[in-house]
Amino acid sequence: MKITVVGTGYVGLVSGACLADVGNDVLCLDLDANKIRVLEEGGIPIHEPGLLDIVRRNVAAGRLSFTTDPERAARFGTVQFIAVGTPPDEDGSADLKYVLAAARNIGRYMDGYRVVVDKSTVPVGTGDQVRAAIAEELEARGAQLAFSVVSNPEFLKEGAAVDDFMRPDRIIVGAEDERAIELMRELYGPFQRNHEKLLVMDVKSAELTKYAANAMLATRISFMNELANLAETLGADIELVRQGIGSDPRIGWHFLYAGCGYGGSCFPKDVKALVRTGHDRGHDLLILKAVEEANGAQKRRLVDKIVARFGEDLSGRRFALWGLAFKPDTDDMRDAPSRVVIEELFRRGATVVAYDPVAMNEARRIFGEEPRLAYVERPMEALPDADALVIVTEWKEFRSPDFERIAGVLRQPVVFDGRNMYDPAVMRRYGIEYYGIGRR
């Protein structure tokens, strides 16, 4: 099948590459010429495990190609995926200008039947706006061409996006005509050979499903963080509480880890957008407002602990920081807790020496030539002359470090662990003053 994917970010590039990998002929469009140049030179503009090999393999096989030409893209694929960004607007709502621009380009240049698939995370009702935008362009041309609009939200975790696409838990298809539904069944056939995973529903329900999923996961995270903060005041251990409730099959184990808050391109943006959607329709989503407020406070939790230990004035203090990305296996720092921690330390006069396996270039882009922020190539190189170690991202290489060396190299053997990676009893054994989140 011929497929066009508009957008070469996490969603678009992963979707295009994986669809090509099962034999489809895929053309990816991006108006950012630098991104297309990187792709055509054999690289990828993002960090995602396993993606580079798939892209290179399918480019070499002739199944995956790239363009900056909207006309070529609109004329290429029968299925047109829209996978562009929907950044938050000033009021917290999703900004649809890129989605609607993509839809208008399709309507302006399409030359036959098209299934236009909203892959971006979009508010309920976007399908209607996409349909109207395409219809307006066709009318302006005087063209009478049939098309369908489908909602097919993505459920890809950054750091595991390739595996999530190739082995999906479910495939949500919001569509209201049989022709489009059958094409989507054909398209996703290779990804559900074991059993049926495709759930067909109306477009608006599919759009809401995506927001509901992310909002639920964000809620679990903020709930556990609130309990962790309570556990500290009660003398309880949130890790033991996590095991106690996670073993209940009605609750399960996923997204029950306390920490220093969630970030990334999805949860913060989607919670804000859903709250705004509720507000616009006269529904005050009180739980999600609390989730958002709790997460904002949790990102400052590590700094609160640092201040409680070292005082409000951190002038002359130096902190080693492990982890810049909002989660492991990505270089994404959008809304990352590390950004709040670093800024708050700066505000109090401290300097930071940071290490992250893949996100340091992104940090340099965000912070620029910042004299208070230095970078090192190995985690242990951040420790000399540091007053404490602050852990913000739970990379695997941080799981079992040389604790004796940490205690010996730091100016003071103090560790602030924002991801509860270590056992407090082990830390005590090595003489390390340890501060976790909700740990006794």
Side-chain angles (χ1 to χ4, degrees):
M1 190 181 299
K2 284 193 170 184
I3 300 164
T4 293
V5 179
V6 183
T8 59
Y10 279 98
V11 176
L13 188 56
V14 170
S15 299
C18 291
L19 287 167
D21 208 40
V22 295
N24 294 294
D25 194 1
V26 179
L27 176 64
C28 290
L29 166 72
D30 204 297
L31 301 184
D32 185 336
N34 288 328
K35 280 187 177 182
I36 297 302
R37 177 183 53 78
V38 169
L39 289 162
E40 289 180 335
E41 290 176 355
I44 55 175
I46 57 175
H47 176 84
E48 185 62 39
L51 180 59
L52 180 60
D53 289 342
I54 295 179
V55 169
R56 286 178 173 173
R57 179 167 66 244
N58 285 281
V59 168
R63 292 189 298 265
L64 180 62
S65 55
F66 309 99
T67 186
T68 58
D69 183 356
E71 182 174 355
R72 179 187 170 200
R75 293 177 182 275
F76 183 84
T78 301
V79 179
Q80 301 264 325
F81 281 96
I82 298 177
V84 296
T86 53
D89 218 334
E90 291 181 4
D91 62 0
S93 63
D95 188 343
L96 296 177
K97 63 183 177 185
Y98 301 117
V99 171
L100 297 179
R104 282 191 286 270
N105 279 333
I106 293 169
R108 190 173 297 135
Y109 298 118
M110 59 188 276
D111 57 359
Y113 175 71
R114 296 290 181 266
V115 177
V116 180
V117 183
D118 282 330
K119 198 71 173 168
S120 303
T121 301
V122 294
V124 177
T126 300
D128 293 338
Q129 295 185 55
V130 168
R131 185 178 291 106
I134 295 171
E136 286 174 10
E137 292 296 333
L138 289 173
E139 184 179 2
R141 292 168 51 191
Q144 294 185 339
L145 298 172
F147 68 94
S148 303
V149 174
V150 171
S151 175
N152 175 220
E154 53 84 16
F155 298 96
L156 308 178
K157 299 185 295 292
E158 289 187 36
V162 170
D163 192 59
D164 286 346
F165 196 98
M166 299 300 261
R167 299 174 181 84
D169 298 314
R170 76 284 202 200
I171 302 164
I172 303 296
V173 171
E176 284 143 23
D177 69 82
E178 283 303 318
R179 187 176 181 184
I181 292 170
E182 287 308 308
L183 271 173
M184 296 301 287
R185 286 191 186 280
E186 179 185 343
L187 181 66
Y188 280 111
F191 305 98
Q192 50 175 345
R193 291 173 62 83
N194 182 264
H195 64 276
E196 179 72 25
K197 300 176 183 179
L198 197 132
L199 301 175
V200 178
M201 58 187 71
D202 62 275
V203 172
K204 289 182 178 179
S205 294
E207 291 169 339
L208 183 56
T209 295
K210 169 62 177 180
Y211 275 119
N214 279 353
M216 174 62 79
L217 297 177
T219 299
R220 286 171 70 100
I221 293 170
S222 282
F223 176 76
M224 287 303 293
N225 286 336
E226 289 278 85
L227 282 187
N229 298 339
L230 177 62
E232 289 183 8
T233 68
L234 298 174
D237 189 328
I238 195 62
E239 177 60 18
L240 299 178
V241 175
R242 182 187 71 83
Q243 295 175 29
I245 65 175
S247 57
D248 185 332
R250 297 171 301 174
I251 298 172
W253 296 101
H254 297 296
F255 286 82
L256 290 186
Y257 289 94
C260 52
Y262 61 76
S265 63
C266 295
F267 288 5
K269 172 177 68 69
D270 294 351
V271 170
K272 284 180 184 294
L274 195 51
V275 167
R276 186 65 199 185
T277 297
H279 177 270
D280 290 345
R281 295 302 179 97
H283 293 284
D284 211 10
L285 300 181
L286 299 178
I287 291 176
L288 291 187
K289 282 185 173 180
V291 166
E292 190 175 20
E293 183 179 354
N295 189 59
Q298 199 68 18
K299 289 181 178 181
R300 298 187 293 273
R301 189 72 176 171
L302 276 180
V303 178
D304 292 342
K305 290 174 179 288
I306 292 169
V307 168
R309 172 62 174 78
F310 290 105
E312 183 69 31
D313 184 2
L314 299 176
S315 299
R317 298 285 187 185
R318 172 172 166 154
F319 293 93
L321 187 140
W322 286 1
L324 293 163
F326 86 94
K327 61 178 283 188
D329 295 317
T330 181
D331 61 352
D332 194 344
M333 288 182 62
R334 285 173 286 185
D335 278 301
S338 65
R339 297 174 66 163
V340 175
V341 172
I342 291 170
E343 292 287 0
E344 290 294 316
L345 292 176
F346 286 168
R347 192 167 65 83
R348 291 170 173 82
T351 59
V352 175
V353 182
Y355 168 79
D356 188 286
V358 301
M360 290 194 292
N361 284 338
E362 179 66 5
R364 290 186 180 98
R365 186 190 68 79
I366 291 167
F367 289 102
E369 296 298 323
E370 171 54 69
R372 296 169 294 181
L373 178 59
Y375 305 93
V376 293
E377 295 302 317
R378 295 179 179 85
M380 289 296 178
E381 292 174 358
L383 303 183
D385 297 322
D387 291 284
L389 168 62
V390 183
I391 300 171
V392 187
T393 313
E394 63 276 31
W395 286 95
K396 286 181 181 178
E397 65 183 273
F398 302 158
R399 288 182 181 177
S400 186
D402 186 338
F403 294 119
E404 187 172 1
R405 186 178 173 193
I406 290 174
V409 173
L410 286 170
R411 189 181 293 171
Q412 302 177 63
V414 181
V415 172
F416 296 92
D417 182 0
R419 297 300 177 186
N420 287 345
M421 297 190 73
Y422 308 133
D423 185 336
V426 173
M427 295 293 97
R428 287 194 297 272
R429 194 159 66 241
Y430 283 96
I432 294 173
E433 190 178 335
Y434 179 73
Y435 300 88
I437 305 292
R439 303 305 303 273
R440 190 168 57 182

